[in-house]
Amino acid sequence: MSSPIIAPGATLGEGPGVTPFVAPGATLGVMGGGQLARMFVHAAQQMGYATAVLDADPASPAGLIAHHHIRAGYLDESGLAQLADLSAAITTEFENVPARALASLAGRRPVAPGAAAVAICQDRTAEKAHFDRSGVACAPHAVLESVGQLVSVRGDLLPGILKTARLGYDGKGQVRVDSRAELASGWAALGSVTCVLEKMLPLAHEISVIVARGADGAVVNLPVQQNLHRDGVLAVTQVPAPDVAADVQQRAIESARRIAAELGYVGVLCVEFFVLADGALVANEMAPRPHNSGHYSIDACDVSQFDLQVRTLTGAPLVAPRLHSPCVMLNLLGDLWFDDDGEAVEAGPDWAAVLALPGVHLHLYGKAEARPGRKMGHLTVTAESAARAAEVAREAAALLGIEGW
Ligand code: ATP
Ligand code: MG
């Protein structure tokens, strides 16, 4: 295949009928050095790319394994210049990378996803407006920007969840509010910043859909994931989704594809949905990157979400991923490194016992220090049937002290 050289500043997909292709051998850059970047680096290296990671933390999971680790903050001009010099194309692992850092890189190199799409995902109000533009329903809500708006808020939004418009993740930056009094105290507790008050919905299930869209507009998707959250953090993902009707899954896929297309998105995008008792779908939020609920795809699909991230970034063709094994993914939080009395267990979890089970794929992110709630790794159980995957995953959970489901 001929591989046109990408000029600095080129946009992926630019040019008459030509999709520039960044061929293996080139260096791919990533903003952020956490576990998502680490798994991107794994996928990129497997395909023969070199990698460069920008992250201030000297022990960042991706920095530890990349060819180049630039130890600099996201807005450090010399760090950004170094990343641009090294990389043929640049992606991000983190939606809260300042959009202006991405915009500055985009002046020099192809960047996917683009700063404008990431900026929308950084702000719950912009995100909800985008769902609306895409014809996808989201939870009834109100935007609260000043204390005066608290008193006049619609009563039918209570009980609700108050979420900061920006910088929330893993259930942080949100509080449950049952009354107007709690709304006032909750808003103050969140720092009196712009918030979204969402009506508390009776969730039957939670699912997510990961799509990848190329610069040429081609879109592929992973199968629908069914997710179980505990304390606002993902705990278990099952694929195929055991409890959600096929037509509901199909609607979720179509909605996620529309949301990506409407954004003119290039890259991997995850859309989280609530499924209500009557089968109604409500978009919760989206992430402009691979997602924790898609980690199973490394072991259970023939193309993973990280492979797709590499392909969208390099302009490689997108082929539809195929789930080859039913699976269950368990998140491994730092809590597993502590006993019931909160004492750290020196040896860590009994990995040998878990690895004795069939079809267990263990992923640890190389984080030196375990802390309660910290994402340390995940494991995916693949099996010949969904029932068998669930059975083995429950055994693994019991061995590790993870609550069953
Ligand atoms: P993350 O980025 O880790 O996905 P987050 O901190 O951005 O999480 P949300 O996804 O908004 O937070 O919410 C976390 C969880 O809280 C949801 O997965 C769901 O279980 C619950 N939740 C959020 N909003 C609602 C709602 N309107 N009604 C009922 N439950 C909700
Ligand atoms: Mg979420």
Side-chain angles (χ1 to χ4, degrees), residues 156-176:
D156 70 325
L157 295 179
L158 296 167
I161 304 188
L162 189 64
K163 305 180 179 182
T164 58
R166 303 178 69 85
L167 298 173
Y169 70 99
D170 288 347
K172 296 180 178 65
Q174 44 183 272
V175 285
R176 213 197 129 121

Side-chain angles (χ1 to χ4, degrees), residues 124 170-171 206 229 232 272 284-285 291:
R124 289 189 194 275
D170 288 347
E206 295 192 56
H229 292 83
E272 297 180 34
N284 173 30
E285 59 173 355
H291 192 259

